[in-house]
Structures are given as structure tokens and as C-alpha cells.
Amino acid sequence: MSIEVLHVNKSFDTTPIVRDVSVKIETGELFVLLGASGSGKSTLLRLIAGLIELDSGTILLNDRDVTHLSPQQRGTGFVFQNYSLFRHMTVAQNIEFGLSIRKVKRLEREQRVNELLELIELQGYGNRYPAQLSGGQQQRVALARALAYQPNVLLLDEPFGALDVKIRVQLRQNLRAIQQRLGLTAILVTHDQEEAFDIADRIGIIDQGELLEVGAPDQLYRNPTHRFTATFLGTANLLDARRNGTNVYWGDVKIPAPANTEQFSGKPVEVLARPEEVALSCTRERAPGSIIGQGIVDSIAFAGPVLRVTVCLLSHDRKNLQVLLAPSDVRDQNIEVGQEVWVSLKEYHLLATNAE
Amino acid sequence: MAEQSPAYGLFKVGDSPAGYSRAPSLGAWGLRLMAISYLTILIVIPLVVIHVQGLRFGLDTFWQSISRPEAVSALTLSLTTSLMMAAINTVMGTLTAYVLVHYKFPGKALFNTLVDLPFAIPTVVIGVMLVLLYGPQTIVGKFLQQEFNIRILFDTPGIVIALLLVGYPFVIRTVQPLLLQLDSNQTDVAQTMGASSWTTFRRVIFPTIRPAVVTGALLSFARSLGEFGSIIVVAGNIPMRSQTATVYVYTQVEAGNMQAASSISIVLLLIAFIATIGIDLLNWRRHARN
């Protein structure tokens, strides 16, 4: 049950909302569309469900062209952020709605409802009304309702957005487990990168209607191609540089170019180092990786298992870098606010500067 | 530390320092008394008087008054025309509200304003408008009379049309807010599950707006039952034919027969009262569920 989107465009009035998006989601894959609010991610999901008509492009569900089919004919399961349960129906009636539309016999319907109640761990809740359930329970019912008629694909629009952090984490792991157990093909839309990292097989980064890049969570985090991806996913330290021969250099700093970056030769690049890839050392000799210069510790903040340190480079226009250090490192290197330290990169990646 | 004792400011609020559960002041009692007196003078006393008047000569006389053929005919005509109005306006009002909420069309704002007009137009004027349109000398009136042998004026159709106009806004205005509140994701989700537009309306939208539909229907029904101005113009005052209950009451008052007038009025009041209780019950049930 694959999903294939080909060169899809959609504008509201004259404002383009989705621009030339193409992506293929494989059978059994949980694909997360990650973007800020207003990026067009929900619109793309609605286009796939057929709730909005596209301006141009093609949508294939399981290799069947559904571009001009109504939502009723597409057979998708949809889950909304605000649950959207039918409030005048019981939990059981909600779940069997799709089955009764398909004229499934009553006995079979009851059996399926029981299966699903068990799947979402709400056995015995069939006769309750949505208003009697908590937010998390309602969202589980919404999921069961979308799964009842065994849809081709599952589409989830910020399904955990309205829930408490603790329930959110628990529910998304439940969803992941159910999705894998049933081998569902699913697209989940979210603005929460932690959620995306937690459950996605692949993530698609969407910005201003454009699908910028698609990849596995760690790949997008470590080695993004777009500056937007680098800054949107976690914290990014970016340094302007040039790549030449086998080195990357700026000012009087020269560090070896990472492998497989020949395509950037002779071009302006940005060096990306994540906060955990930067090291601070009290002496030059003790600095691991590639030294990029000296800096002054600007602040140290407690962040649970690690410390968040801001260091101000003495060169490079006194640029600030964000660094995550283990408490033991801070102790061993005598790192204090106002102290001069050696800054080095344990790992780093290159971004083409023009790849905005 | 004496300064730390609670300072009450300008008002003395009794023994509750937070001031949350203080005893009601004289002013609050005065306000309640005013509200209750106003209700009593305006509604309760006239209600009592009419019941005393209607039942003054005992239940037998009361029964005789309301079982006279003219009275029965008038009450029946009022009830049937009001029911017909309620049935038609419930369907059309729901449809109109749905169209107003869900579709864009040129002149929609004007349409939305016109809906309320029957609330404001004097009902006698509604009667005059209908006479000018459907009168036997007019094009429409003549056409209907000659082609279909339908007489609008001085007959049941005229009354129903007048009531339809008078009762037009009720269902629309009760249903519209609930339709606006309706989460469009619910209809979207129903469609992805395979429900056609009609099924979505029948199984998702209608159950949500049903209390408002019934409320609107009951309100317009109660309003129609009491309609006088447009009916007297459109239907005249032909006993046993086009005389509605309110017109019959008026005739009795004119003739100085206050007992008969009061008796029919009591029946009308009773029906209105039941409709009001029905509306309250519906609202109460809706609040109880949510």
C-alpha cells in the first residue's frame, strides 16, 4: 500500500501552499512530514485524502491513480488533532461507523469493534460517550475508528498536538507499535521534531510548501543538505568557509574536509557542527578533533544530564557557539564562565552555501 | 505585626476575609426583588386573572365555551395551519441555514440580513403584501384561481403562507449557530470513511443540530399559534372557514363575551406553555450530556 505524490501543486487564491511536491512512501513505512505551522504540511495530507482538490500533479495510492477520486473512493484513514469523534455516538458506534457505511453485518462489526478496543487498550469502554473520555483516550478511539475498515493508508494530522507531554510520548509509541504490527503505511504530520525522531522511518522536511529533503532521522540530523533542515532539526552551529583541495578553511583556520564532499570543491560552504560535536579544552594539547581556535566561555546552563555552554570565538567575528558538555568534561577541563578555552570540532559536515 | 491583619478596604464583608462567600447585601436582595416583582406584575398577575375569568363559572361552562363548533373549528384551524407551517419551515429553515453556513454565493450578506426581516415587519404589513400579491384581481391570484382552482385568500392556503412568512427566521436562526460551531473535521473524517454527503448529513450533522431544529420548530409553532395581524388581513374572519383561534378570541372580546374569550385563550396558553417546557427540556438535556 504505497503512497506516491508526483509534482503536486496547490494554491489558495493566488498564494501557493504546496509547491511541486514529489515523494514516494513505501509499503509499511511511517513517514513523518515535519514543518512549522503554515508550511503546507496539513494541506498536503488533505490533498492525499482527497479532502482538497489539487491544482496539478498526480497522487497514486497503491499504484492506483486516485488524483480525481473523491475522498470516499480513496479509502484512507484520517486522524485529526482535535480527535473529531462523533459526540452523539458511543465509542463503539464511532469505531464501527466506517463498517456500517460499507454495510458490514452486525455480528462482524461487533467483533471488529472488540478487536480494536483491545488494540487501543480500551476494552469495556464501548458504551461510553466521547465526552466521558480523556483526551488521550479519545485520540485512541479516533485511531481505532480510522483503522476499523482497514484503510489503504493512515493519515495523521498532528494527532498528539493537543495532549500533555507525558501522554503524547506514550501514545506515539503505541501508534508506532500498532503501525508496525499491522504493517500500515502511514503519513504523520507534525511540527514536533522530537516526535518525528522518535517514530519516523523517514522524515520529510517541508518549508513554505516545498518538500526540501527526505531522509532517515539520523541522516537528516547529521548530514542535511539544506540550511533550513540543519537549523530546524535541533541546534546548529554554522560557520562560513571554503573548501579547497582536501581542506576547509576560513581566516587562518584550516581543517580537513570531510569525506565525500568533493562536489563542494572551490565553493563557499558552511561548516555544520552540532552542539555535542564541539569540544572545549583548557589546553591546545588536550583538544580532540580539529581545532578551530580559542574562545571565551560566555555562559553555562544546567540542562539535565548535560550542561549547555555558550562559547564566544575570539576569531570569526566573535561568533557564539552552542556546546553540550558532560558534567565530567566541564570539571576535567576547568571550564568556568569568562575563561579562555580551546575550541575544536570532533565531527562536522558541509553544507553548500547556496542551498537555501 | 499588627499591620498584617486583613484590611477590608472600603467595604465591610462580614466574617469572610476573602470576600468570596459573603452574605448577600441589601442591594443584591433589592435587585432580586425588583426582577421578581417585574415578572409578577407583567406575566403572573395577568395569567392568574385570565384563568380566574375563564374558569369563573366552573369547568362545565369552560368546556361548553371551548366545545362550541366555531371554537373547535377555530382551534383546529390554528393548530393545523401552525403544524403545516412548522413542518415546512423546519425543512426549509434547516436547508437555508446549511446553505448560509456552507456555501458562498453573490448577495449572501444581503440574504443573511433579509432572513431577520420577518421579525421586524409588522405582521399586518405582511398580510397587506400577501393580499397585493395573491388577491383575486392580481395576476398571480387570477392565474392560480383559473388554472388550478386554488384560492389563496380567505382560506387555509393564505393563512399557511402568512404563517410561513411570520415563522421564517426561527429555525434558520436557531440552527445556524450550531452549524457554525460544527467541527468541519467531523464531516471530513466521515467522508474519508466513505460516507456520502447525504449520509454525512443524516448521521453526523443532523444529530448534532437536532436540538436546535426542534427548538426552532417549537418556537415558530408557538409564534404561529398566536399570530393575528397578518391572518385577519389575509383570511378575514369567516367563522368555520378562515377564523383562527386568535381571531375567534378577538371576535368574542368585541362581542363583550369575556368568558368565552378567556376560555379559548387558556387553551392557547396551555399549548404555548407545553411548547416552552419542551424547549427547556431539550436545552436541559443537551447541557446534561455535555
Side-chain angles (χ1 to χ4, degrees), chain A residues 281-332:
Chain A
S281 315
C282 51
T283 62
R284 195 187 169 99
E285 289 70 39
R286 292 180 69 173
S290 312
I291 293 168
I292 60 166
Q294 280 181 290
I296 291 175
V297 176
D298 197 52
S299 68
I300 301 175
F302 174 72
V306 291
L307 293 163
R308 195 183 305 280
V309 180
T310 311
V311 63
C312 176
L313 288 180
L314 292 179
S315 59
H316 214 87
D317 296 333
R318 306 191 73 80
K319 193 177 171 67
N320 277 332
L321 297 186
Q322 303 293 326
V323 189
L324 288 182
L325 294 179
S328 58
D329 288 339
V330 173
R331 225 173 14 247
D332 294 348

Side-chain angles (χ1 to χ4, degrees), chain A residues 1 3 23-33 45 143 153-157 159-160 171-181 183-190 195-204 214-217:
Chain A
M1 300 292 176
I3 305 169
V23 64
K24 181 164 187 186
I25 290 129
E26 301 295 342
T27 305
E29 185 180 13
L30 177 52
F31 186 85
V32 172
L33 260 180
L45 204 64
L143 177 65
V153 296
L154 188 59
L155 305 172
L156 306 116
D157 192 358
F160 313 123
L171 264 189
R172 71 181 178 227
Q173 277 151 8
N174 285 351
L175 171 76
R176 180 59 162 162
I178 289 171
Q179 179 263 336
Q180 288 187 322
R181 177 135 48 103
L184 294 167
T185 309
I187 302 181
L188 184 143
V189 157
T190 185
E195 186 171 303
F197 284 158
D198 203 9
I199 59 173
D201 287 313
R202 282 190 305 159
I203 296 174
V214 171

